[in-house]
């Protein structure tokens, strides 16, 4: 009998990631086309290497009964925005009187933390289904596929964007020392819109958008920036262009232009910035620009283009190599927004 082919390290990592995300053995087997017994063996080995023993030390008697704790946990799982006072009222109605601090401590001991709700794009059922389809269609793609993608997007960079929330270390009564303040101007000092692109090999051109962009302007940007970027990055044959479903991008004239220039376009799920790794590069760019503290829009444009060109190819490559983790996160969260 022939020897069974050993699974690649990349596939083993995907199996463990899906398991940690809460997916069952059969579901993982169906998604990755790997036998259930093989899935089980890999996960058992993972658990053996990562097993730790935590023995709780003796503590004072609990003020809330196990039944009360279970009721609290059930409530916050179903309604995460429930306040501590509302939970205290529910417990009081059940015969247990405790303070809000005890409620908070109990929730923290059970793995819950009070945080600000993340703001994400509104996803309708059609968006969720499209995201799941995209993730399933591409989950098995090798890193070499993503290396042939030219990612693109637009972003707005404000003159005093990240600087407006800078933190400083200072002593008491030194709040208004010039070194501890951030200068601002009325209405934020203005901003600039940019179009940019990148691949696993590095960043492409960064273009300033002047005025309101329409379909004709977008096609001019593609002609003057997109095609030269593809050549400079040596995308080679078979590369794919990614842009979102903005009406300017999906207009018939734009589709005709892309077809005429023999550019293959990736099918993209709407409302999915977390699936576009260029969002991470925009953040990287804004941090770099904020450190140089531009004082006017002319400086802002110059510094943005300089810093964009300085982003190391290694940063770009890492975003692309790890792309499958985004797809795993989408599947684990049933198509809804992810941390990316």
């Amino acid at each position: 009998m022939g020897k069974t082919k050993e699974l690649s390290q990349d596939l083993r990592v995907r199996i463990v990631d899906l398991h940690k995300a809460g997916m069952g053995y059969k579901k993982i087997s169906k998604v990755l086309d790997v036998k259930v017994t093989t899935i089980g063996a890999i996960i058992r080995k993972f658990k053996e290497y990562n097993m730790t023993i935590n023995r709780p030390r003796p503590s004072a008697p609990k003020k809330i009964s196990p039944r009360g704790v279970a009721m609290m946990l059930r409530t916050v799982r179903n309604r995460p925005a429930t306040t501590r006072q509302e939970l205290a009222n529910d417990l009081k109605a059940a015969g247990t009187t405790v303070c809000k601090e005890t409620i908070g401590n109990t929730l923290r001991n059970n793995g819950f933390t009070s945080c600000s709700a993340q703001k994400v794009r509104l996803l309708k059922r059609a968006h969720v289904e499209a995201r799941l389809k995209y993730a399933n269609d591409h989950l098995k793609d090798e890193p070499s596929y993503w290396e042939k993608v030219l990612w693109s997007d637009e972003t707005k960079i404000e003159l005093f964007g990240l600087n407006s929330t800078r933190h400083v270390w200072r002593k008491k009564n030194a709040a208004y020392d010039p070194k501890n303040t951030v200068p601002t101007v009325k209405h934020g000092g203005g901003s600039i819109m940019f179009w940019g692109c990148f691949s696993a090999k590095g960043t492409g051109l960064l273009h300033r958008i002047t005025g309101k962009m329409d379909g004709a302007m977008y096609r001019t940007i593609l002609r003057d920036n997109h095609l030269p970027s593809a050549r400079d990055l040596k995308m080679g044959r078979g590369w794919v262009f990614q842009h979102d479903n903005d009406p300017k991008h999906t207009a018939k004239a734009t589709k005709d232009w892309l077809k005429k220039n023999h550019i293959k376009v990736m099918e993209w799920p709407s409302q999915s910035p977390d699936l576009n790794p260029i969002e991470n590069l925009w953040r990287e760019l804004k941090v770099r620009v904020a450190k140089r503290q531009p004082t006017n829009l002319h400086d802002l444009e110059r510094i943005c283009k300089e810093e964009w060109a300085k982003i190391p190819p290694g940063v770009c490559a890492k975003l692309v190599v790890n792309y499958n983790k985004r797809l795993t996160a989408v599947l684990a969260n049933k198509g809804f927004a992810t941390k990316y």
Side-chain angles (χ1 to χ4, degrees):
M1 183 175 178
K3 188 176 181 180
T4 305
K5 184 178 180 181
E6 186 175 354
L7 298 183
S8 67
Q9 181 63 25
D10 180 60
L11 187 54
R12 290 170 179 268
V13 170
R14 291 190 212 176
I15 290 171
V16 172
D17 285 345
L18 289 172
H19 171 68
K20 289 194 292 187
M23 195 174 286
Y25 289 13
K26 290 184 179 180
K27 180 65 175 176
I28 298 174
S29 173
K30 184 177 179 181
V31 170
L32 297 181
D33 194 23
V34 178
K35 291 182 180 179
V36 175
T37 53
T38 305
I39 300 289
I42 291 173
I43 291 174
R44 281 194 298 275
K45 185 174 290 187
F46 164 75
K47 288 180 177 178
E48 288 173 5
Y49 283 130
N50 293 274
M51 190 178 296
T52 57
I53 300 175
N54 295 313
R55 293 189 175 91
R57 58 186 180 182
S59 59
K62 302 296 182 182
K63 294 182 179 180
I64 306 176
S65 67
R67 186 174 181 179
V69 172
M71 181 185 73
M72 285 173 47
L73 299 182
R74 185 168 58 250
T75 299
V76 295
R77 286 193 192 102
N78 294 332
R79 293 185 289 113
T82 303
T83 65
R84 291 182 301 168
Q85 185 60 58
E86 289 171 338
L87 291 171
N89 292 340
D90 291 343
L91 288 173
K92 187 174 182 179
T96 302
T97 301
V98 293
C99 63
K100 292 188 292 184
E101 287 69 23
T102 300
I103 298 285
N105 291 336
T106 302
L107 291 175
R108 281 189 288 274
N109 290 338
N110 283 274
F112 288 88
T113 305
S114 179
C115 307
S116 298
Q118 294 292 328
K119 294 181 180 179
V120 299
R121 298 283 183 93
L122 175 64
L123 294 175
K124 299 180 181 179
R125 179 180 293 274
H127 298 142
V128 172
E129 291 175 353
R131 286 165 58 84
L132 287 171
K133 181 179 184 303
Y134 175 85
N136 279 309
D137 288 347
H138 291 286
L139 186 63
K140 297 180 185 178
D141 290 341
E142 297 296 327
S144 57
Y145 171 81
W146 301 111
E147 291 172 1
K148 302 292 288 184
V149 178
L150 185 63
W151 307 89
S152 73
D153 197 18
E154 298 88 26
T155 192
K156 180 175 74 171
I157 299 184
E158 297 178 343
L159 183 59
F160 295 105
L162 295 182
N163 280 335
S164 63
T165 55
R166 181 183 297 176
H167 291 267
V168 297
W169 293 101
R170 63 173 176 82
K171 292 186 175 181
K172 189 176 180 180
N173 300 324
Y176 289 95
D177 185 310
K179 294 183 295 185
N180 299 329
T181 62
V182 176
T184 62
V185 296
K186 200 171 184 179
H187 308 303
S191 61
I192 298 177
M193 285 292 296
F194 287 100
W195 176 93
C197 64
F198 90 102
S199 77
K201 296 181 180 179
T203 56
L205 295 174
L206 186 69
H207 174 77
R208 178 178 181 174
I209 300 172
T210 304
K212 186 176 181 180
M213 184 169 69
D214 55 15
M217 183 188 293
Y218 182 62
R219 291 187 290 277
T220 300
I221 291 173
L222 294 181
R223 183 195 67 200
D224 297 342
N225 298 274
H226 166 263
L227 291 178
S229 294
R231 288 193 293 268
D232 293 343
L233 293 170
K234 296 180 173 60
M235 297 299 294
R237 294 183 178 181
W239 63 278
V240 181
F241 177 51
Q242 179 279 332
H243 61 179
D244 60 29
N245 295 326
D246 184 282
K248 296 180 285 294
H249 303 173
T250 58
K252 183 178 183 302
T254 302
K255 288 183 177 180
D256 291 343
W257 186 92
L258 292 166
K259 185 177 180 180
K260 180 181 177 181
N261 286 274
H262 309 290
I263 298 171
K264 183 179 179 181
V265 179
M266 178 184 290
E267 186 174 347
W268 190 252
S270 298
Q271 299 289 75
S272 299
D274 55 334
L275 287 173
N276 191 347
I278 202 172
E279 296 293 339
N280 299 79
L281 283 192
W282 290 142
R283 173 67 183 180
E284 174 77 13
L285 175 63
K286 291 172 183 178
V287 170
R288 288 167 169 260
V289 170
K291 289 179 179 178
R292 294 185 58 179
Q293 300 184 12
T295 56
N296 55 61
L297 293 181
H298 177 75
D299 281 349
L300 178 62
E301 179 181 3
R302 175 179 56 81
I303 291 172
C304 282
K305 290 183 176 180
E306 290 175 359
E307 293 300 328
W308 179 255
K310 289 180 183 177
I311 295 177
V315 173
C316 302
K318 186 176 181 180
L319 289 173
V320 174
V321 167
N322 294 326
Y323 190 75
N324 275 339
K325 291 188 176 181
R326 297 173 187 261
L327 305 179
T328 301
V330 169
L331 293 173
N333 208 28
K334 300 179 181 178
F336 288 95
T338 67
K339 66 178 183 179
Y340 296 97

